[in-house]
Every structure is written in C-alpha cells, then in structure tokens.
Amino acid sequence: MTEPETHTLETSGCVICYDVRKAEGSGSPILLMIGSPMDAGGFTALAGHFPDRTVVTYDPRGIGRSTRAEGAGESTPEQHADDLHRLIDVLGGGPVDVFASSGGAVNALALVARHPEQVRTLVAHEPPAAQVLPDREQALAAVVDIRRTYEQSGFGPAMVKFIAVTGLRGEIPDGFADRPVASPAEFGLPADDDGSRDDPLFKQNLMTSTHYEHDFDALRAASTRIVVGVGAESEGEMAHRAGLAVAERLGTKPVVFPSHHGGFLGDEFGMKGDPVAFAVTLRQVLTEEQ
C-alpha cells in the first residue's frame, strides 16, 4: 500500500475530499471505508491492515476537509448517498466493497438501495437506525431532546445527553430526557456555551441519520451482499440493537465484531478499540463466498 493520495470531487452543493491508498497489482475491488460524522482520519489504523487492497477514505460533506455551500441546512442520508455514488463513479464505477460505520452505515444502506450495482459487499457496522427499534418512539424522542439541548445550551450539555443515550444498555424508557444528567465538566467537556451551532454531529447529521426510514424492499432485492456488524462489547446499546433490528429486517444473521462501536479505531479519537482483531474479522467477511 502506498502513501495516501488526496483528491477532491465537486458534487451537489459541496466539495468532497478523499484519499486513495493504492495497492499495485491487487485483484480485489477497491475497499471504501466510510463514517459519519467521522472523517477519513478515523480509518487510519484499519486501513493499515489492508496493504494488499486499494483503500479509499473520505470526509463526508461539511466534515473535516470537505466543504458545503454557505448556509446549507442539515445533511441527509440521500445527499451522502449521492456523494458516495459520484465518488464511486470517479473511482471507476465499481463494484467496490464498503465498510461503513455508524452514520456512515446509514448512508451506505441508502446508497445500496439506489445503486446496488456499485457495491459488491457492504459491511454496515452498527447503523443507528432508530426507526426500526422496538422502542423507536422513546429513542427518537431522546434524539430530539439532544438536538433541542444543543440549540438551547450548546455542545457540552448536548454531548452529555448524547453519551447517556448511546451508552444506555437496553430499551430507552419513557421520559428519559427528563432524567437528571451529569455536568459537562465531569466528562471534560466545555460547560460554557460559545454560541456556535455548526457542529457536524448535532447540527448536520444527528436527526437525519437516526430518523431515516430505510427502503428494506430495495435492500432485500439488491444484488449487493449486505452484512450487518455489531460490537461484542456494545451489546444492549442503541446502535447495537439497531444493527440487530436491521439484520432482522433484511433476513440475515449479524456478524459480531471485536470491541465496541468504534472497535476499528486506533488512538485517533481517544476511544481505542481493537483494530487488529477487527481487521481480521472484516477480512474474513469480505472474502467469504459471494
């Protein structure tokens, strides 16, 4: 694998920045690694475990090095899917293999529902698809409260509630938003509101990703092999439970990956997983018979 080459791609209302790590002579499809709101930096450790494959990472619109038009509103899974569609076209049209994490898994499922011919295998790791949870009403209400807290009080208080919701084991109870929460300072988060309201998670992607309604008829009919992944250490958490629910709707069996929701991470974001073991499982999934 060579050092990453950085490129840009102008799409609808944004300029996407992406990196290509070439593996000369590889006979395997391009491996596209995506997240949201995680940018390309989150996949550095995982990409390093696939030196025999050309790996492409990117910064989603409005995140990291990728820009959006001034005054743009929320980013939707449909927009992200269109960006990915155009990116794969530039890379040769596919079919590519995709490893997609969290909100990136939501966006990748939206891509496959529209352009299955571009993706050979999709590994969708813990998509936060709250719409398919048995406790969907409570889950969606909790997300709405996080967004409302962000608009009213800023990043720190919103992140405290985000941690409480995403880390909860089991179904979200009624009135969860009314429970007392810790101070942002207890998490090392800013307690003061700096007045900014442009956070990629809370402003751009939180609502649209969790509230997105997937086209399961299209996904079940797709030529793409879809594998849903869940973390061994995140059992009971919302994204893990949503992954199980998505797999059930697809009529497939989920694959358990080592570690937690960010199990592929190295030291990129202070949430270290087990990228070595994670890469082994991912490679096994990608090399299974189609």
Side-chain angles (χ1 to χ4, degrees):
M1 180 184 288
T2 62
E3 289 298 311
E5 298 176 357
T6 300
H7 306 268
T8 58
L9 168 65
E10 186 171 351
T11 69
S12 178
C14 72
V15 176
I16 295 295
C17 190
Y18 65 98
D19 303 308
V20 180
R21 296 170 172 83
K22 291 183 179 178
E24 299 297 341
S26 172
S28 300
I30 288 172
L31 176 54
L32 178 59
M33 298 180 176
I34 64 174
S36 180
M38 182 176 287
D39 62 20
F43 298 98
T44 301
L46 185 61
H49 291 286
F50 290 87
D52 56 323
R53 298 189 61 159
T54 294
V55 176
V56 176
T57 55
Y58 92 126
D59 294 353
R61 59 171 51 220
I63 299 170
R65 301 161 296 172
S66 294
T67 60
R68 300 192 303 162
E70 187 174 352
E74 291 180 304
S75 298
T76 67
E78 292 93 344
Q79 289 175 318
H80 288 300
D82 185 64
D83 293 341
L84 292 165
H85 164 61
R86 296 173 187 234
L87 174 57
I88 294 170
D89 270 348
V90 169
L91 296 172
V96 301
D97 286 341
V98 179
F99 169 72
S101 165
S102 194
V106 171
N107 301 335
L109 288 165
L111 167 69
V112 168
R114 290 161 176 75
H115 301 284
E117 74 285 351
Q118 289 192 312
V119 182
R120 184 185 72 155
T121 297
L122 164 62
V123 181
H125 186 253
E126 296 205 348
Q131 287 279 13
V132 297
L133 290 172
D135 53 325
R136 61 179 298 277
E137 292 186 9
Q138 301 98 296
L140 293 173
V143 172
V144 169
D145 178 66
I146 294 170
R147 173 60 180 273
R148 181 168 54 243
T149 300
Y150 177 68
E151 294 294 349
Q152 293 175 348
S153 305
F155 177 84
M159 181 55 76
V160 170
K161 288 193 171 183
F162 178 81
I163 292 170
V165 171
T166 57
L168 179 70
R169 304 272 179 164
E171 293 191 2
I172 297 174
D174 290 327
F176 188 76
D178 299 324
R179 293 186 177 188
V181 295
S183 163
E186 294 182 38
F187 290 88
L189 296 166
D192 295 330
D193 183 2
D194 64 4
S196 65
R197 294 294 185 271
D198 57 357
D199 183 76
L201 170 60
F202 296 126
K203 184 66 174 182
Q204 294 180 35
N205 294 287
L206 177 69
M207 292 288 291
T208 55
S209 182
T210 55
H211 284 61
Y212 184 68
E213 295 194 21
H214 292 277
D215 187 345
F216 286 103
D217 287 339
L219 291 170
R220 285 189 293 266
S223 56
T224 303
R225 173 174 168 255
I226 304 173
V227 179
V228 179
V230 293
E233 298 174 13
S234 56
E235 185 174 358
E237 295 176 3
M238 188 177 79
H240 183 114
R241 294 191 298 113
L244 298 180
V246 169
E248 182 178 7
R249 293 287 296 272
L250 294 174
T252 62
K253 184 178 180 180
V255 173
V256 177
F257 279 75
S259 196
H260 46 63
H261 185 65
F264 54 91
L265 291 172
D267 293 316
E268 296 93 343
F269 296 101
M271 186 184 170
K272 187 173 182 179
D274 187 352
V276 175
F278 197 100
V280 170
T281 300
L282 179 57
R283 185 179 290 277
Q284 289 172 345
V285 171
L286 292 175
T287 54
E288 288 176 357
E289 290 294 329
Q290 299 299 302

